[in-house]
Amino acid sequence: MENIFCQDNHISDTALLDNLVHFATVMASERYRNCRITFGEIKEFTLCFLPKIGERCETSGEIVYKRGRNLLVQTRISVDGETAAKCKVKFYKEEKNEDTGNIL
């Protein structure tokens, strides 16, 4: 079946990028629960290969930069230890007042 996430029995680059960005968003949101996290931009997307449908993909990530309001999360999808795709996602964080929930 062909769609934006599957093409020619492979996971599409669109699906990989979608997964990487969602993973980075959840990671940043979990790490900074008392902040509002706002998406900034996708940086340095690298596609190494398209995994086949049915292959086990593992997504991992780490926060590689944090200064002031800026966060940069690096994410990677691997298959059998080989990098299929990776990117960095920039976010902005805004502190919340713990009592009111308002942005400071």
Side-chain angles (χ1 to χ4, degrees):
M1 175 189 237
E2 299 287 317
N3 61 51
I4 64 168
F5 294 118
C6 305
Q7 296 171 339
D8 299 324
N9 203 35
H10 288 83
I11 299 171
S12 70
D13 56 347
T14 303
L16 295 174
L17 183 58
D18 183 70
N19 177 268
L20 290 167
V21 172
H22 277 95
F23 190 89
T25 302
V26 169
M27 205 175 160
S29 297
E30 285 292 316
R31 172 65 177 88
Y32 295 98
R33 289 179 181 238
N34 293 330
C35 296
R36 178 169 64 180
I37 302 297
T38 306
F39 175 77
E41 64 181 301
I42 298 167
K43 302 173 82 95
E44 300 175 30
F45 175 66
T46 303
L47 177 65
C48 301
F49 68 92
L50 297 174
K52 293 179 184 173
I53 302 297
E55 285 185 314
R56 181 186 167 130
C57 297
E58 288 188 35
T59 307
S60 60
E62 66 178 315
I63 296 172
V64 294
Y65 178 83
K66 53 187 173 192
R67 176 174 274 168
R69 293 183 55 226
N70 298 312
L71 290 176
L72 189 63
V73 179
Q74 181 172 303
T75 54
R76 173 180 178 248
I77 296 174
S78 59
V79 177
D80 295 328
E82 297 290 324
T83 299
K86 61 184 179 178
C87 76
K88 294 178 182 173
V89 185
K90 183 177 181 180
F91 295 98
Y92 303 102
K93 64 182 178 78
E94 297 177 89
E95 302 289 332
K96 289 183 187 176
N97 180 306
E98 290 186 24
D99 296 327
T100 65
N102 295 333
I103 302 300
L104 299 175

